[in-house]
Amino acid sequence: MGIIEPSIFTGPHVLKKFNELRMRELCEDNLLEFLKNGWKYIDPAPFVGGWHLEAIAEHLQAVTDGAIKRLVINVPPRTSKSSVCSVAWPAWTWAQKPESPLAGPQVQFLSASYAQTLSLRDSVKTRRLITSPWYQQHWGSRFVLTGDVNTKGRFENNKGGYRLATSVDGTLTGEGGDVILVDDAHSATEVESDLVRKSTLEWWDEAMSTRLNNQKTGAFVVIMQRLHQEDLTGHIITKEQDNWTWLMLPMKHEKDRHCVTYVQGAKFWEDPRTEEGELLCPDRFGPVEVENLERRLGPYAAAGQLQQAPSPRGGGIIKEEWWKHWTEP
């Protein structure tokens, strides 16, 4: 039996309870609604939504449901990607009823970034969200954080779940997860170094890619901005493209790179933009802001970080349109 709709005879306290139950159901069913309602415990700045966050949330929910096992998300910086993926998603997953291997408080997360400080930042935010009065009121009865393992880098609950934060150069011996989550594997200031970049790819191939607790039911999620043709996204897509779902969200829409994702052979999602140059999140990055970013980054960095195309059309350093016919005077 579903929730009974309130009538005109319903008292204020009953109506309040009804609204709370409805909000709880909406948040459990929809990761983006969960993010919106819990935002004040994640970030003091006002929440700025957008269809790109809905797209990311839909794909992460498909991971939780077991429909997607390998997911790459490419999105520009400062678009709340870490807030939805690395902070809200683990907390939302633990709020679910354990109806699948990747839903419920028993799910174990192993997360990494290029820097330990970034991994710890998001781990702390997840823990802060879970311990918030809002979360505890609605889902606190489903699990309890254990007192003996409750640090910035690792916290566990009494149902067997944990969230472990590490870095690209961190030790992984003996550790694993039901979900392997990599949020920004490369530093923008070091990715041009062949040595550093190749070390990251070796870490992925030889360490992180082997850390799933269960190869059949576990999932990999990689979310990042593109920084180099041979970055982790390029490495994965080149080697295993058919096994991965690739959500590519450029700042400006390009018709010839229009993103459509497929899950289990069926179309799952399509970029809603139709016009060349339509912006990803105009409420946050309008034409003036994007133009300023492009000017500061330069053509090559802007192509990767904003457009998710580290080999830009027309060339990155010497552009095609700069070449002109020369006639001897």
Side-chain angles (χ1 to χ4, degrees), residues 110-187:
L110 174 57
S111 64
S113 180
Y114 70 84
Q116 183 76 5
T117 53
L118 295 180
S119 297
L120 292 178
R121 177 201 66 186
D122 293 336
S123 179
V124 168
K125 286 184 177 182
T126 301
R127 188 176 62 174
R128 186 182 302 141
L129 176 59
I130 289 172
T131 58
S132 70
W134 170 75
Y135 191 98
Q136 288 299 307
Q137 176 186 353
H138 296 291
W139 300 285
S141 62
R142 296 191 175 175
F143 66 89
V144 176
L145 294 182
T146 59
D148 54 341
V149 183
N150 191 357
T151 66
K152 291 181 179 181
R154 180 175 187 146
F155 55 89
E156 301 182 1
N157 65 51
N158 63 339
K159 302 298 183 180
Y162 60 72
R163 191 192 188 290
L164 171 61
T166 186
S167 60
V168 168
D169 58 356
T171 301
L172 291 173
T173 304
E175 301 292 357
D178 301 315
V179 175
I180 305 298
L181 172 60
V182 180
D183 186 347
D184 282 335
H186 303 278
S187 165

Coordinates of all heavy atoms in Angstrom, one line a residue, residues 110-187:
L110 N 36.1 1.6 -2.6 CA 37.6 2.0 -2.6 C 37.7 3.1 -3.6 O 37.5 2.9 -4.8 CB 38.4 0.7 -3.1 CG 39.9 1.0 -3.3 CD1 40.6 1.5 -2.1 CD2 40.6 -0.3 -3.8
S111 N 38.1 4.3 -3.1 CA 38.2 5.5 -4.0 C 39.6 6.0 -4.0 O 40.4 5.8 -3.1 CB 37.2 6.6 -3.4 OG 37.6 7.0 -2.1
A112 N 39.9 6.7 -5.1 CA 41.3 7.2 -5.3 C 41.2 8.5 -6.1 O 40.3 8.7 -6.9 CB 42.2 6.2 -5.9
S113 N 42.2 9.3 -5.9 CA 42.5 10.5 -6.7 C 44.0 10.6 -6.9 O 44.8 9.9 -6.3 CB 41.9 11.7 -6.0 OG 42.1 12.9 -6.8
Y114 N 44.4 11.6 -7.7 CA 45.9 11.8 -7.9 C 46.6 12.2 -6.6 O 47.8 12.1 -6.4 CB 46.1 12.7 -9.0 CG 45.8 14.2 -8.8 CD1 46.7 15.0 -8.2 CD2 44.6 14.7 -9.3 CE1 46.4 16.3 -8.0 CE2 44.3 16.0 -9.1 CZ 45.2 16.8 -8.4 OH 44.9 18.2 -8.2
A115 N 45.8 12.9 -5.7 CA 46.4 13.4 -4.5 C 45.6 12.8 -3.3 O 44.3 12.8 -3.3 CB 46.4 14.9 -4.5
Q116 N 46.3 12.4 -2.2 CA 45.6 11.9 -1.0 C 44.7 13.0 -0.4 O 43.6 12.7 0.1 CB 46.6 11.4 0.0 CG 46.1 10.8 1.2 CD 45.5 9.4 1.0 OE1 45.7 8.9 0.0 NE2 44.9 8.9 2.1
T117 N 45.1 14.2 -0.5 CA 44.3 15.3 0.1 C 42.9 15.4 -0.5 O 41.9 15.7 0.2 CB 45.0 16.7 0.0 OG1 45.4 16.9 -1.4 CG2 46.3 16.7 0.8
L118 N 42.8 15.2 -1.8 CA 41.6 15.3 -2.5 C 40.7 14.1 -2.1 O 39.5 14.2 -1.9 CB 41.7 15.3 -4.0 CG 42.4 16.5 -4.6 CD1 42.6 16.4 -6.1 CD2 41.7 17.8 -4.2
S119 N 41.3 12.9 -2.0 CA 40.5 11.7 -1.6 C 40.0 11.9 -0.2 O 38.8 11.6 0.1 CB 41.4 10.5 -1.7 OG 41.9 10.2 -3.0
L120 N 40.8 12.4 0.7 CA 40.4 12.6 2.1 C 39.3 13.7 2.2 O 38.4 13.6 3.0 CB 41.6 13.0 2.9 CG 42.6 11.9 3.2 CD1 43.8 12.5 4.0 CD2 42.1 10.7 3.8
R121 N 39.4 14.7 1.4 CA 38.4 15.8 1.3 C 37.0 15.2 1.1 O 36.1 15.5 1.8 CB 38.8 16.8 0.3 CG 37.8 18.0 0.1 CD 37.9 18.6 -1.3 NE 37.5 17.7 -2.3 CZ 37.7 18.0 -3.6 NH1 38.2 19.2 -4.0 NH2 37.3 17.1 -4.6
D122 N 36.9 14.4 0.0 CA 35.6 13.9 -0.3 C 35.1 12.8 0.7 O 33.9 12.7 0.9 CB 35.7 13.3 -1.7 CG 35.9 14.4 -2.8 OD1 35.5 15.5 -2.5 OD2 36.4 14.1 -3.9
S123 N 36.1 12.1 1.2 CA 35.7 11.1 2.3 C 35.1 11.8 3.5 O 34.1 11.3 4.0 CB 37.0 10.3 2.6 OG 36.7 9.3 3.7
V124 N 35.7 12.8 3.9 CA 35.2 13.6 5.0 C 33.9 14.2 4.8 O 33.0 14.1 5.6 CB 36.2 14.7 5.4 CG1 35.6 15.7 6.4 CG2 37.5 14.2 6.0
K125 N 33.7 14.6 3.6 CA 32.3 15.2 3.2 C 31.3 14.1 3.2 O 30.1 14.3 3.6 CB 32.4 15.8 1.8 CG 33.1 17.2 1.8 CD 33.1 17.8 0.4 CE 33.7 19.2 0.4 NZ 33.6 19.8 -0.9
T126 N 31.6 12.9 2.7 CA 30.7 11.8 2.8 C 30.3 11.5 4.2 O 29.1 11.3 4.6 CB 31.2 10.5 2.1 OG1 31.6 10.8 0.7 CG2 30.2 9.4 2.1
R127 N 31.3 11.4 5.1 CA 31.0 11.1 6.5 C 30.2 12.2 7.1 O 29.3 11.9 7.9 CB 32.4 10.9 7.2 CG 32.2 10.3 8.6 CD 33.5 10.1 9.3 NE 34.3 11.3 9.4 CZ 35.5 11.3 10.1 NH1 36.0 10.2 10.6 NH2 36.2 12.4 10.2
R128 N 30.5 13.4 6.8 CA 29.8 14.5 7.4 C 28.3 14.5 6.9 O 27.4 14.8 7.7 CB 30.4 15.9 6.9 CG 29.8 17.1 7.6 CD 30.4 18.4 7.1 NE 31.9 18.3 7.3 CZ 32.8 18.8 6.5 NH1 32.4 19.2 5.3 NH2 34.1 18.7 6.8
L129 N 28.1 14.1 5.7 CA 26.7 14.0 5.2 C 26.0 12.8 5.9 O 24.8 13.0 6.3 CB 26.7 13.7 3.7 CG 25.4 13.4 3.0 CD1 24.5 14.6 3.1 CD2 25.6 13.1 1.5
I130 N 26.6 11.7 6.1 CA 26.0 10.6 6.8 C 25.7 10.9 8.2 O 24.6 10.4 8.7 CB 26.9 9.3 6.7 CG1 27.0 8.8 5.2 CG2 26.5 8.2 7.6 CD1 28.0 7.7 5.0
T131 N 26.5 11.6 8.9 CA 26.3 11.9 10.3 C 25.4 13.2 10.5 O 25.1 13.5 11.6 CB 27.6 12.1 11.0 OG1 28.4 13.2 10.4 CG2 28.5 10.9 11.0
S132 N 24.9 13.8 9.4 CA 24.1 15.0 9.5 C 22.7 14.6 10.1 O 22.3 13.5 10.0 CB 23.9 15.6 8.2 OG 23.1 14.8 7.3
P133 N 22.1 15.5 10.8 CA 20.7 15.2 11.4 C 19.7 14.8 10.3 O 18.9 13.9 10.6 CB 20.3 16.6 12.0 CG 21.6 17.3 12.3 CD 22.6 16.9 11.2
W134 N 19.8 15.4 9.1 CA 18.9 15.1 8.0 C 19.1 13.6 7.6 O 18.1 12.9 7.5 CB 19.2 16.0 6.8 CG 18.5 15.6 5.6 CD1 17.2 15.8 5.3 CD2 19.1 15.0 4.4 NE1 16.9 15.3 4.1 CE2 18.0 14.8 3.5 CE3 20.3 14.5 4.1 CZ2 18.2 14.2 2.2 CZ3 20.6 13.9 2.9 CH2 19.5 13.8 2.0
Y135 N 20.3 13.2 7.4 CA 20.5 11.8 7.0 C 20.1 10.8 8.1 O 19.5 9.8 7.9 CB 22.0 11.6 6.6 CG 22.3 10.3 5.9 CD1 22.4 10.2 4.5 CD2 22.5 9.1 6.6 CE1 22.7 9.0 3.9 CE2 22.8 7.9 6.0 CZ 22.9 7.9 4.6 OH 23.2 6.7 4.0
Q136 N 20.5 11.1 9.3 CA 20.3 10.2 10.4 C 18.8 10.1 10.7 O 18.3 9.0 11.1 CB 21.0 10.7 11.7 CG 22.5 10.5 11.7 CD 22.9 9.1 11.6 OE1 22.4 8.2 12.4 NE2 23.7 8.8 10.5
Q137 N 18.0 11.2 10.5 CA 16.6 11.1 10.7 C 15.9 10.1 9.8 O 15.0 9.4 10.2 CB 16.0 12.5 10.5 CG 14.5 12.5 10.7 CD 13.9 13.9 10.3 OE1 14.6 14.9 10.1 NE2 12.5 14.0 10.3
H138 N 16.4 10.1 8.5 CA 15.7 9.3 7.5 C 16.3 7.9 7.3 O 15.6 7.0 7.0 CB 15.7 10.1 6.2 CG 14.9 11.3 6.3 ND1 13.5 11.4 6.4 CD2 15.3 12.6 6.3 CE1 13.1 12.6 6.5 NE2 14.1 13.4 6.4
W139 N 17.6 7.8 7.5 CA 18.3 6.5 7.2 C 19.2 6.0 8.3 O 19.9 5.0 8.1 CB 19.1 6.6 5.9 CG 18.2 7.0 4.7 CD1 17.3 6.2 4.1 CD2 18.1 8.3 4.1 NE1 16.6 6.9 3.1 CE2 17.1 8.2 3.1 CE3 18.7 9.5 4.3 CZ2 16.7 9.3 2.3 CZ3 18.3 10.6 3.6 CH2 17.4 10.5 2.6
G140 N 19.2 6.7 9.4 CA 20.1 6.3 10.5 C 19.8 5.0 11.1 O 20.7 4.3 11.7
S141 N 18.5 4.4 10.9 CA 18.2 3.1 11.5 C 18.7 2.0 10.6 O 18.7 0.8 11.1 CB 16.6 3.0 11.6 OG 16.1 3.1 10.3
R142 N 19.2 2.3 9.5 CA 19.7 1.2 8.6 C 21.1 0.7 8.8 O 21.4 -0.4 8.4 CB 19.5 1.7 7.1 CG 18.0 1.9 6.7 CD 17.8 2.1 5.3 NE 16.3 2.2 5.0 CZ 15.8 2.4 3.9 NH1 16.6 2.6 2.8 NH2 14.5 2.5 3.7
F143 N 21.9 1.6 9.4 CA 23.3 1.2 9.8 C 23.8 2.2 10.8 O 23.3 3.3 10.9 CB 24.2 1.1 8.5 CG 24.4 2.4 7.9 CD1 25.5 3.2 8.2 CD2 23.6 2.9 6.8 CE1 25.7 4.5 7.6 CE2 23.8 4.1 6.2 CZ 24.8 4.9 6.6
V144 N 24.9 1.8 11.4 CA 25.6 2.7 12.3 C 27.1 2.7 12.0 O 27.7 1.6 11.7 CB 25.4 2.2 13.8 CG1 26.2 3.1 14.7 CG2 24.0 2.2 14.2
L145 N 27.7 3.9 11.9 CA 29.2 3.9 11.7 C 29.9 3.3 13.0 O 29.5 3.6 14.1 CB 29.6 5.3 11.5 CG 29.2 6.1 10.2 CD1 29.8 7.5 10.2 CD2 29.5 5.3 9.0
T146 N 30.8 2.5 12.7 CA 31.6 1.8 13.8 C 32.6 2.8 14.4 O 33.2 3.6 13.7 CB 32.3 0.6 13.3 OG1 33.2 0.9 12.3 CG2 31.3 -0.5 12.8
G147 N 32.8 2.7 15.7 CA 33.6 3.6 16.4 C 35.1 3.2 16.3 O 36.0 4.1 16.4
D148 N 35.4 1.9 16.1 CA 36.8 1.5 16.0 C 37.5 1.8 14.7 O 38.7 1.9 14.7 CB 36.9 0.0 16.4 CG 36.1 -0.9 15.5 OD1 35.1 -0.3 14.9 OD2 36.3 -2.1 15.4
V149 N 36.7 1.9 13.6 CA 37.3 2.3 12.3 C 36.4 3.5 11.8 O 35.4 3.3 11.1 CB 37.2 1.1 11.3 CG1 37.9 1.6 10.0 CG2 37.9 -0.1 11.9
N150 N 36.9 4.7 12.1 CA 36.1 5.9 11.7 C 37.1 7.0 11.6 O 37.1 7.9 12.5 CB 35.0 6.2 12.8 CG 34.0 7.2 12.3 OD1 34.2 7.8 11.2 ND2 33.0 7.5 13.1
T151 N 37.9 7.0 10.5 CA 38.9 8.0 10.3 C 38.6 8.8 9.0 O 37.7 8.4 8.3 CB 40.3 7.4 10.2 OG1 40.4 6.6 9.1 CG2 40.6 6.6 11.5
K152 N 39.4 9.8 8.7 CA 39.2 10.5 7.5 C 39.4 9.6 6.3 O 38.7 9.7 5.3 CB 40.2 11.7 7.4 CG 39.9 12.8 8.3 CD 40.9 13.9 8.1 CE 40.7 15.1 9.1 NZ 41.7 16.2 8.9
G153 N 40.4 8.7 6.3 CA 40.7 7.9 5.2 C 39.9 6.6 5.1 O 39.8 6.0 4.0
R154 N 39.3 6.2 6.2 CA 38.5 4.9 6.2 C 37.5 4.9 7.3 O 37.8 5.1 8.5 CB 39.4 3.7 6.3 CG 38.7 2.4 6.3 CD 39.6 1.2 6.4 NE 38.9 0.0 6.2 CZ 39.4 -1.1 5.5 NH1 40.6 -1.1 5.1 NH2 38.6 -2.2 5.4
F155 N 36.2 4.8 6.9 CA 35.2 4.6 7.9 C 34.3 3.4 7.5 O 34.1 3.1 6.3 CB 34.4 5.8 8.2 CG 33.8 6.5 7.0 CD1 32.5 6.1 6.6 CD2 34.4 7.5 6.3 CE1 31.9 6.7 5.5 CE2 33.8 8.1 5.2 CZ 32.6 7.7 4.8
E156 N 33.8 2.7 8.5 CA 33.0 1.5 8.2 C 31.7 1.6 9.0 O 31.5 2.4 9.8 CB 33.8 0.2 8.7 CG 35.1 0.0 8.1 CD 35.8 -1.2 8.6 OE1 35.2 -2.0 9.4 OE2 37.0 -1.5 8.1
N157 N 30.8 0.7 8.6 CA 29.5 0.6 9.3 C 29.3 -0.8 9.8 O 30.0 -1.7 9.4 CB 28.3 1.1 8.4 CG 28.1 0.2 7.2 OD1 28.0 -1.0 7.3 ND2 28.0 0.8 6.0
N158 N 28.3 -1.0 10.6 CA 28.0 -2.3 11.2 C 27.4 -3.3 10.3 O 27.1 -4.4 10.7 CB 27.2 -2.1 12.5 CG 25.8 -1.5 12.2 OD1 25.6 -0.9 11.1 ND2 24.8 -1.7 13.1
K159 N 27.2 -3.0 9.0 CA 26.6 -3.9 8.1 C 27.7 -4.4 7.1 O 27.4 -5.2 6.2 CB 25.5 -3.2 7.2 CG 24.4 -2.7 8.1 CD 23.6 -3.8 8.8 CE 22.4 -3.2 9.6 NZ 21.7 -4.2 10.3
G160 N 28.9 -4.0 7.3 CA 30.0 -4.5 6.5 C 30.5 -3.6 5.5 O 31.6 -3.8 4.8
G161 N 29.8 -2.5 5.3 CA 30.3 -1.5 4.3 C 31.4 -0.6 4.8 O 31.6 -0.4 6.0
Y162 N 32.2 -0.1 3.8 CA 33.2 0.9 4.2 C 33.5 1.8 3.0 O 33.2 1.4 1.9 CB 34.5 0.2 4.7 CG 35.2 -0.7 3.7 CD1 35.9 -0.2 2.6 CD2 35.3 -2.1 4.0 CE1 36.6 -1.1 1.7 CE2 35.9 -2.9 3.1 CZ 36.6 -2.4 2.0 OH 37.3 -3.3 1.2
R163 N 34.1 2.9 3.3 CA 34.6 3.8 2.3 C 36.0 4.1 2.6 O 36.4 4.7 3.6 CB 33.8 5.2 2.3 CG 34.1 6.0 1.1 CD 33.5 7.4 1.3 NE 33.6 8.2 0.1 CZ 34.8 8.7 -0.5 NH1 35.9 8.4 0.1 NH2 34.8 9.4 -1.6
L164 N 36.9 3.6 1.7 CA 38.3 3.7 1.9 C 38.9 4.7 0.8 O 38.6 4.6 -0.4 CB 39.0 2.4 1.7 CG 40.5 2.3 1.6 CD1 41.1 2.8 2.9 CD2 41.0 0.9 1.3
A165 N 39.7 5.7 1.3 CA 40.2 6.7 0.4 C 41.7 6.5 0.3 O 42.4 6.4 1.3 CB 39.9 8.1 0.9
T166 N 42.2 6.5 -1.0 CA 43.6 6.4 -1.2 C 44.0 7.3 -2.4 O 43.2 8.1 -2.8 CB 44.0 4.9 -1.5 OG1 45.4 4.8 -1.6 CG2 43.4 4.4 -2.8
S167 N 45.3 7.2 -2.8 CA 45.7 8.0 -3.9 C 46.4 7.1 -5.0 O 46.6 5.9 -4.7 CB 46.7 9.1 -3.4 OG 47.9 8.4 -2.8
V168 N 46.8 7.8 -6.1 CA 47.4 7.0 -7.2 C 48.7 6.3 -6.7 O 48.9 5.2 -7.1 CB 47.7 7.9 -8.4 CG1 48.6 7.3 -9.4 CG2 46.3 8.4 -9.0
D169 N 49.4 6.9 -5.8 CA 50.6 6.3 -5.4 C 50.5 5.6 -4.0 O 51.4 5.3 -3.3 CB 51.8 7.3 -5.3 CG 51.4 8.5 -4.4 OD1 50.3 8.5 -3.9 OD2 52.3 9.4 -4.2
G170 N 49.2 5.4 -3.6 CA 49.0 4.8 -2.3 C 49.1 3.3 -2.3 O 49.0 2.7 -3.4
T171 N 49.3 2.7 -1.1 CA 49.4 1.3 -1.0 C 48.0 0.6 -1.1 O 47.1 1.0 -0.4 CB 50.1 0.9 0.3 OG1 51.3 1.5 0.3 CG2 50.2 -0.6 0.4
L172 N 47.9 -0.4 -1.9 CA 46.6 -1.1 -2.0 C 46.7 -2.6 -1.6 O 45.7 -3.3 -1.7 CB 46.1 -1.0 -3.5 CG 45.7 0.4 -4.0 CD1 45.4 0.3 -5.5 CD2 44.5 0.8 -3.3
T173 N 47.8 -3.0 -1.2 CA 48.0 -4.4 -0.9 C 47.0 -4.9 0.2 O 46.9 -4.3 1.3 CB 49.4 -4.7 -0.3 OG1 50.4 -4.2 -1.2 CG2 49.6 -6.2 0.0
G174 N 46.2 -5.9 -0.2 CA 45.2 -6.4 0.8 C 43.9 -5.7 0.8 O 43.0 -6.1 1.5
E175 N 43.8 -4.6 0.0 CA 42.6 -3.8 0.0 C 41.8 -4.1 -1.3 O 42.3 -4.4 -2.3 CB 42.9 -2.3 0.1 CG 43.6 -1.9 1.4 CD 42.8 -2.1 2.6 OE1 41.6 -2.5 2.6 OE2 43.3 -1.8 3.7
G176 N 40.5 -3.9 -1.2 CA 39.6 -4.1 -2.3 C 38.3 -3.4 -2.1 O 38.1 -2.7 -1.1
G177 N 37.4 -3.5 -3.1 CA 36.1 -2.9 -2.9 C 35.0 -3.5 -3.9 O 35.4 -4.2 -4.9
D178 N 33.8 -3.3 -3.5 CA 32.7 -3.7 -4.5 C 32.6 -2.7 -5.6 O 32.2 -3.0 -6.7 CB 31.4 -3.8 -3.7 CG 31.4 -4.8 -2.6 OD1 31.9 -5.9 -2.8 OD2 30.9 -4.4 -1.5
V179 N 33.0 -1.4 -5.3 CA 33.0 -0.3 -6.2 C 34.4 0.3 -6.2 O 34.9 0.7 -5.1 CB 32.0 0.8 -5.9 CG1 32.1 1.9 -6.9 CG2 30.5 0.2 -6.0
I180 N 35.0 0.3 -7.3 CA 36.3 1.0 -7.5 C 36.0 2.4 -8.1 O 35.6 2.4 -9.3 CB 37.3 0.2 -8.3 CG1 37.5 -1.2 -7.8 CG2 38.7 1.0 -8.4 CD1 38.1 -1.3 -6.4
L181 N 36.3 3.4 -7.4 CA 36.0 4.8 -7.8 C 37.2 5.6 -8.0 O 38.0 5.8 -7.0 CB 35.0 5.4 -6.8 CG 34.7 6.9 -7.0 CD1 34.0 7.2 -8.3 CD2 33.7 7.4 -5.9
V182 N 37.5 6.1 -9.2 CA 38.7 7.0 -9.4 C 38.2 8.3 -9.9 O 37.5 8.5 -10.9 CB 39.6 6.4 -10.5 CG1 40.8 7.3 -10.7 CG2 40.1 5.0 -10.0
D183 N 38.5 9.3 -9.1 CA 38.0 10.7 -9.3 C 39.2 11.6 -9.6 O 40.0 11.9 -8.6 CB 37.2 11.2 -8.2 CG 36.5 12.6 -8.4 OD1 36.9 13.2 -9.4 OD2 35.7 13.0 -7.6
D184 N 39.5 11.9 -10.8 CA 40.7 12.7 -11.2 C 42.0 12.0 -11.0 O 42.6 12.2 -9.9 CB 40.7 14.1 -10.6 CG 39.7 15.1 -11.2 OD1 39.4 14.9 -12.4 OD2 39.3 16.0 -10.5
A185 N 42.3 11.1 -11.9 CA 43.5 10.3 -11.7 C 44.8 11.1 -12.0 O 45.9 10.7 -11.6 CB 43.5 9.1 -12.6
H186 N 44.7 12.2 -12.7 CA 45.8 13.0 -13.1 C 45.8 14.4 -12.6 O 44.7 15.0 -12.5 CB 45.9 13.1 -14.7 CG 45.9 11.8 -15.4 ND1 47.1 11.0 -15.5 CD2 45.0 11.1 -16.0 CE1 46.8 9.9 -16.2 NE2 45.5 9.9 -16.5
S187 N 46.9 14.9 -12.3 CA 47.1 16.4 -12.0 C 47.2 17.1 -13.3 O 48.1 16.8 -14.1 CB 48.3 16.6 -11.1 OG 48.6 17.9 -11.0

